[in-house]
Amino acid sequence: MRKDEFHLKFFMCVIQSRQLVRTPQRTAGEASTSGMLIPKPPTKTDTLKSLDTLDDPDTVRSIPVFKTEWIMTHEEHHAAKTLGIGKAIAVLTSGGDAQGMNAAVRAVVRVGIFTGARVFFVHEGYQGLVDGGDNIKEATWESVSMMLQLGGTVIGSARCKDFREREGRLRAAYNLVKRGITNLCVIGGDGSLTGADTFRSEWSDLLGDLQKAGKITDEEATKSSYLNIVGLVGSIDNDFCGTDMTIGTDSALHRIMEIVDAITTTAQSHQRTFVLEVMGRHCGYLALVTSLSCGADWVFIPECPPDDDWEEHLCRRLSETRTRGSRLNIIIVAEGAIDKNGKPITSEDIKNLVVKRLGYDTRVTVLGHVQRGGTPSAFDRILGSRMGVEAVMALLEGTPDTPACVVSLSGNQAVRLPLMECVQVTKDVTKAMGEKKFDEALKLRGRSFMNNWEVYKLLAHVRPPVSKSGSHTVAVMNVGAPAAGMNAAVRSTVRIGLIQGNRVLVVHDGFEGLAKGQIEEAGWSYVGGWTGQGGSKLGTKRTLPKKSFEQISANITKFNIQGLVIIGGFEAYTGGLELMEGRKQFDELCIPFVVIPATVSNNVPGSDFSVGADTALNTICTTCDRIKQSAAGTKRRVFIIETMGGYCGYLATMAGLAAGADAAYIFEEPFTIRDLQANVEHLVQKMKTTVKRGLVLRNEKCNENYTTDFIFNLYSEEGKGIFDSRKNVLGHMQQGGSPTPFDRNFATKMGAKAMNWMSGKIKESYRNGRIFANTPDSGCVLGMRKRALLFQPVTELQDQTDFEHRIPKEQWWLKLRPILKILAKYEIDLDTSDHAHLEHITRKRSGEAAV
């Protein structure tokens, strides 16, 4: 039977049998009514070794690899659904606003309601908590609709002097007790979280005072005997120790990079120097990552003041850049930048210096509050949603003995840390800078910040040696489909290679170009301006090397290639496996190689993230936002959106979470016609509420028979008279556009790390006057796994790969799918046993061991 005949016959069967609305109970491991499987806690099954050359070249670390069991008991399901019954949660935003706060508020409200708890908005931050009245309102499911894509904070934020006084906190306690609220989620910076901890520590005394004054009864005091506090860090500065990223930081970087990219074009036209001032009074994260993401000539941050002769060094650096052919200079300045004596370094000071000494046409742009505004990025929406879910679980699991905690991000893992430990370390950074202990301040910022700083120093402050005597030859190439960020990875790889004294070659058109000899040497200026450019400047093809081993071997010999950096997707990985196999026949292939995952599909085994996936995700989110806006205007309309990804459902799932989709169909979680019908019924019920729109995402290869057209036709027929349906295939627009700050920064650091590894591996493989690498660890994939960057032999990843469908057998993001369905108001299982547990922050000081 032809596929179109199948669709027609099956479709007619569906519309003739209305009894398929309800789905019978499934056994463990089968698809649920929402087409999902629910994860059990991971079990340790293996250990991987990591040589982290940027952190500590001599340190080898081990991390567990986890397998997930897709089983859940009825008792656990019931516990999750009843965890919040009889409890009340209040959520407030305090301090400076940050994009992504609304996503966190939405998640707290909806997951709280899902568990049976009552959830309250506290408008205008702590001021609303003190004033009470209409500032504290009970939230409903619909009250957080359409807030996911909004910047700022919908429930308002305000600085509150009253809460700093005990009398103000007494009034706040009264307002909570009268409403039966004993769980408080605070979204803000370290000042807001410190205030929450003070409030909690005084809680018993405050209740005693209220009882004595006759404002609350003994029964009310007993019911509210303790207060649980959980903090979520919302700050665009990323200035809170204990988390890799705070809510709002990624969105702020988006705003900054949009302006930097725009300024770059005008600066090139007039050969100008631009000094850009970004926020960061006490933290230089925004300035530092911006400098990496745009390839800035210099950055000034408060944690690392420049040397005393910085004026000479800066002018020499700018002059050298112009000598190499560049038509512009970009200097990034954090608003809190200082010299080693603590004297402020301002944008105007830098401008005057450049004009006076070099005579360059120099302009200053102070970005200001534009960095706080605009739509939150996909990363911040997902981060806010994940943190909100974890906050509810932490609150409802809390006891009188549980310390106030903050939900943080470590790698791609949600962790709970003692709130005041994090606040103290954050204050220690400011104290260290005040005491001019800048090395200590840098260490306290954490490993991620230090890595960024080390890569920046290499790319911006180290001159490549003039002589290449005794150097090695390394080739870099792109393989597979284009992905935004590939060019940033190539630039970083080339320049780090040159800094190390190596000869660096670039290969055009992937393995096909390597076979045809489309190879040329790259100098420093060759990759100038590549960081912000999308696509693949080198050209990329899906051709694999196996059929051209002879030609490839000949060119490896001809060009004396001693190491190969392969930047690409699943073809780059499978190409690496073929190179390993080819070593048995061709000694020329016995050279080290490393694969940097770069694909919008995010389907390369050995890495949780791939370069390019974040850009594609933001493209999908932007489109979905506009579509939802259209649907909200016309009302009673459902959109079916097809995303890329091959058989990998990463884009559909994460975009669904970031855009607030009602369903996301993926290959990894099989679904049936019953599930489709249940989703239709869900949307029918949704149209009876105030939210009269729907958004459904479908991964392009989620099912051979349930195509986008089939699902569109099904929804159109079943929704007749209730809602209209529309479809949109996003196609290759997901591969285009300028890379996001995340992809630029990630690609830059991956390129630097890969080249550091390559230089060491070439030296290790040097035998009898030649390079000979035939061990498994001489051909690796560089990937992020949980909390670390790891080099993993490609041959060891074979057992973890589903080659037929070009995906890893286990994928970390599948555990986020229950969150997607809960936030869309599906009655599904939630496994509470896989949530984060309280850890302790690692504090490193000069001369001290890590605690």
Side-chain angles (χ1 to χ4, degrees):
M1 183 185 294
R2 296 201 322 269
K3 194 181 295 184
D4 56 348
E5 291 176 343
F6 169 84
H7 287 166
L8 179 60
K9 291 185 177 181
F10 202 30
F11 184 67
M12 293 305 295
C13 289
V14 171
I15 61 177
Q16 289 171 10
S17 68
R18 301 283 178 172
Q19 70 271 22
L20 295 181
V21 173
R22 286 196 171 273
T23 304
Q25 181 68 36
R26 306 291 177 92
T27 58
E30 289 187 353
S32 71
T33 57
S34 53
M36 300 181 351
L37 297 172
I38 309 304
K40 278 287 284 183
T43 56
K44 184 175 178 182
T45 59
D46 198 5
T47 298
L48 296 178
K49 298 293 183 181
S50 162
L51 181 61
D52 195 337
T53 55
L54 285 181
D55 295 340
D56 185 352
D58 301 317
T59 301
V60 178
R61 286 179 287 123
S62 301
I63 67 164
V65 179
F66 295 106
K67 281 189 176 178
T68 305
E69 298 175 27
W70 300 91
I71 305 171
M72 184 181 183
T73 67
H74 174 74
E75 289 75 14
E76 289 171 326
H77 167 45
H78 180 72
K81 291 285 292 180
T82 60
L83 192 61
I85 291 177
K87 299 180 181 180
I89 300 170
V91 56
L92 65 84
T93 54
S94 177
D97 64 301
Q99 309 96 318
M101 280 183 167
N102 290 324
V105 170
R106 173 179 176 267
V108 170
V109 169
R110 291 194 168 177
V111 176
I113 292 173
F114 170 83
T115 62
R118 298 173 69 200
V119 186
F120 291 82
F121 291 134
V122 179
H123 293 274
E124 311 309 331
Y126 284 120
Q127 192 64 57
L129 198 62
V130 172
D131 294 342
D134 289 340
N135 288 305
I136 305 177
K137 293 181 179 178
E138 187 164 1
T140 65
W141 196 274
E142 288 79 15
S143 63
V144 292
S145 178
M146 284 298 283
M147 69 159 45
L148 187 61
Q149 65 268 34
L150 299 179
T153 166
V154 170
I155 61 176
S157 180
R159 310 284 181 184
C160 180
K161 292 183 180 179
D162 292 340
F163 194 76
R164 296 177 184 175
E165 304 297 329
R166 195 175 190 280
E167 180 60 32
R169 295 193 289 275
L170 191 67
R171 289 161 58 193
Y174 171 79
N175 290 326
L176 291 181
V177 171
K178 282 298 182 182
R179 291 167 176 81
I181 300 170
T182 57
N183 300 282
L184 184 62
C185 176
V186 178
I187 307 170
D190 62 326
S192 302
L193 300 183
T194 301
D197 189 73
T198 301
F199 190 38
R200 181 181 185 275
S201 65
E202 294 179 347
W203 185 255
S204 295
D205 293 337
L206 294 173
L207 291 189
D209 290 352
L210 290 171
Q211 278 181 283
K212 289 177 184 178
K215 293 185 176 181
I216 63 172
T217 65
D218 292 344
E219 183 182 355
E220 287 174 329
T222 302
K223 287 182 178 179
S224 305
S225 59
Y226 66 93
L227 178 69
N228 287 322
I229 295 285
V230 170
L232 304 181
V233 190
S235 168
I236 68 167
D237 292 337
N238 202 31
D239 57 354
F240 193 83
C241 293
T243 185
D244 289 348
M245 287 286 274
T246 57
I247 296 170
T249 301
D250 188 66
S251 300
L253 287 169
H254 274 251
R255 298 297 90 77
I256 296 169
M257 289 313 306
E258 288 165 6
I259 294 167
V260 171
D261 287 347
I263 281 176
T264 298
T265 58
T266 184
Q268 286 177 329
S269 300
H270 298 276
Q271 298 191 61
R272 284 180 175 147
T273 296
F274 268 86
V275 183
L276 282 83
E277 182 179 305
V278 301
M279 286 186 169
R281 189 172 304 163
H282 301 296
C283 180
Y285 184 87
L286 289 179
L288 179 56
V289 174
T290 297
S291 69
L292 284 173
S293 300
C294 72
D297 296 285
W298 199 282
V299 65
F300 292 90
I301 61 174
E303 293 89 346
C304 303
D307 295 331
D308 293 334
D309 62 344
W310 67 267
E311 294 94 339
E312 290 288 339
H313 191 178
L314 171 63
C315 292
R316 184 173 64 249
R317 169 73 180 170
L318 299 181
S319 179
E320 288 174 352
T321 303
R322 293 292 179 97
T323 302
R324 295 193 190 108
S326 177
R327 292 177 58 86
L328 80 158
N329 298 112
I330 298 291
I331 301 168
I332 309 295
V333 187
E335 62 178 329
I338 54 175
D339 63 18
K340 288 197 171 180
N341 296 315
K343 179 184 175 183
I345 298 175
T346 68
S347 302
E348 286 297 327
D349 292 339
I350 298 167
K351 173 191 172 182
N352 294 335
L353 172 69
V354 174
V355 171
K356 181 179 179 181
R357 295 204 184 182
L358 298 176
Y360 293 166
D361 185 2
T362 306
R363 305 296 167 92
V364 172
T365 299
V366 180
L367 302 192
H369 281 73
V370 69
Q371 296 160 85
R372 289 193 186 278
T375 301
S377 66
F379 183 95
D380 273 330
R381 299 184 201 192
I382 295 168
L383 177 63
S385 298
R386 291 182 66 185
M387 299 299 99
V389 173
E390 191 60 48
V392 172
M393 292 300 114
L395 285 170
L396 298 182
E397 293 167 4
T399 68
D401 299 324
T402 305
C405 74
V406 61
V407 178
S408 300
L409 182 74
S410 180
N412 68 349
Q413 303 294 298
V415 297
R416 301 177 193 173
L417 298 172
L419 189 153
M420 290 313 296
E421 282 188 22
C422 297
V423 169
Q424 186 57 52
V425 177
T426 302
K427 290 180 177 178
D428 288 347
V429 176
T430 305
K431 181 182 177 183
M433 288 191 290
E435 296 174 351
K436 301 176 184 177
K437 298 177 181 178
F438 298 109
D439 288 341
E440 181 175 341
L442 187 62
K443 288 180 180 178
L444 288 170
R445 281 287 180 222
R447 189 182 66 192
S448 177
F449 193 99
M450 291 181 66
N451 283 352
N452 285 328
W453 179 248
E454 293 301 322
V455 174
Y456 159 74
K457 285 197 301 182
L458 280 173
L459 292 173
H461 290 269
V462 179
R463 296 181 182 179
V466 177
S467 172
K468 289 186 173 61
S469 58
S471 67
H472 303 294
T473 301
V474 180
V476 58
M477 62 196 294
N478 293 337
V479 174
M486 276 184 163
N487 295 324
V490 172
R491 172 186 174 272
S492 175
T493 302
V494 168
R495 290 194 170 178
I496 294 296
L498 294 174
I499 287 168
Q500 293 173 344
N502 294 320
R503 175 171 169 255
V504 183
L505 306 177
V506 292
V507 181
H508 297 274
D509 296 336
F511 286 117
E512 184 177 311
L514 185 60
K516 293 180 178 179
Q518 296 171 217
I519 304 167
E520 61 178 318
E521 187 169 352
W524 190 270
S525 300
Y526 186 92
V527 290
W530 280 29
T531 307
Q533 296 189 33
S536 169
K537 297 276 285 183
L538 293 181
T540 180
K541 292 190 176 181
R542 297 180 182 272
T543 309
L544 293 175
K546 192 171 185 178
K547 295 180 180 179
S548 307
F549 275 161
E550 282 194 32
Q551 297 93 318
I552 289 173
S553 298
N555 282 321
I556 286 175
T557 301
K558 178 181 177 181
F559 290 93
N560 191 32
I561 297 172
Q562 298 168 312
L564 192 60
V565 177
I566 308 169
I567 303 167
F570 200 85
E571 289 85 0
Y573 163 67
T574 51
L577 286 171
E578 288 188 4
L579 290 177
M580 293 294 285
E581 187 67 24
R583 288 177 175 182
K584 298 174 182 177
Q585 294 178 277
F586 299 90
D587 285 350
E588 294 85 353
L589 299 180
C590 294
I591 59 173
F593 70 84
V594 59
V595 175
I596 298 177
T599 168
V600 301
S601 302
N602 197 35
N603 63 336
V604 178
S607 187
D608 293 343
F609 295 104
S610 296
V611 173
D614 185 68
T615 304
L617 194 54
N618 277 277
T619 299
I620 298 169
C621 281
T622 301
T623 305
C624 288
D625 287 348
R626 294 173 179 173
I627 286 172
K628 283 175 68 178
Q629 194 173 44
S630 168
T634 54
K635 298 190 184 302
R636 298 186 181 278
R637 182 163 288 176
V638 175
F639 280 86
I640 294 96
I641 311 296
E642 181 181 296
T643 67
M644 295 181 84
Y647 288 98
C648 181
Y650 175 83
L651 286 180
T653 296
M654 301 304 271
L657 190 56
D662 294 282
Y665 300 120
I666 64 170
F667 170 79
E668 290 89 345
E669 291 180 358
F671 56 95
T672 68
I673 193 64
R674 298 175 186 272
D675 299 316
L676 292 172
Q677 194 72 9
N679 294 148
V680 171
E681 179 61 23
H682 174 81
L683 287 167
V684 168
Q685 296 303 318
K686 185 178 181 181
M687 296 301 161
K688 297 176 182 178
T689 70
T690 58
V691 186
K692 301 181 186 301
R693 68 182 177 282
L695 181 68
V696 176
L697 299 181
R698 178 190 176 274
N699 170 238
E700 60 181 343
K701 291 187 177 180
C702 66
N703 190 289
E704 182 182 7
N705 296 309
Y706 300 146
T707 63
T708 301
D709 287 337
F710 178 88
I711 293 174
F712 167 70
N713 291 333
L714 174 65
Y715 273 63
S716 297
E717 181 65 28
E718 296 290 289
K720 271 185 179 179
I722 303 170
F723 59 79
D724 295 330
S725 297
R726 298 288 187 273
K727 64 179 177 180
N728 195 322
V729 179
L730 301 186
H732 283 76
M733 66 182 291
Q734 297 161 84
Q735 288 182 343
S738 298
T740 59
F742 179 92
D743 277 332
R744 299 184 196 198
N745 186 32
F746 188 46
T748 298
K749 290 199 289 187
M750 293 282 272
K753 199 171 186 66
M755 187 54 84
N756 280 338
W757 176 88
M758 181 62 70
S759 295
K761 191 59 67 175
I762 289 175
K763 291 176 183 177
E764 181 185 309
S765 306
Y766 194 79
R767 301 168 191 168
N768 302 321
R770 58 165 291 196
I771 303 298
F772 188 79
N774 63 348
T775 58
D777 66 353
S778 62
C780 289
V781 170
L782 170 58
M784 175 179 278
R785 280 290 183 92
K786 297 186 183 295
R787 304 185 190 181
L789 289 174
L790 304 170
F791 290 95
Q792 302 150 94
V794 291
T795 51
E796 291 183 9
L797 294 172
Q798 288 186 89
D799 292 339
Q800 304 174 30
T801 306
D802 176 354
F803 286 98
E804 179 184 356
H805 300 107
R806 297 161 54 89
I807 55 174
K809 290 180 180 178
E810 296 179 12
Q811 302 179 84
W812 69 273
W813 50 266
L814 284 169
K815 67 184 178 183
L816 301 183
R817 285 185 61 80
I819 298 175
L820 187 157
K821 302 304 285 188
I822 290 169
L823 295 178
K825 206 176 183 179
Y826 279 87
E827 291 292 325
I828 68 129
D829 297 343
L830 176 64
D831 183 1
T832 59
S833 61
D834 194 25
H835 289 283
H837 299 287
L838 192 67
E839 300 182 9
H840 288 276
I841 187 168
T842 301
R843 302 169 62 178
K844 291 186 178 181
R845 299 173 180 271
S846 300
E848 293 182 7
V851 177

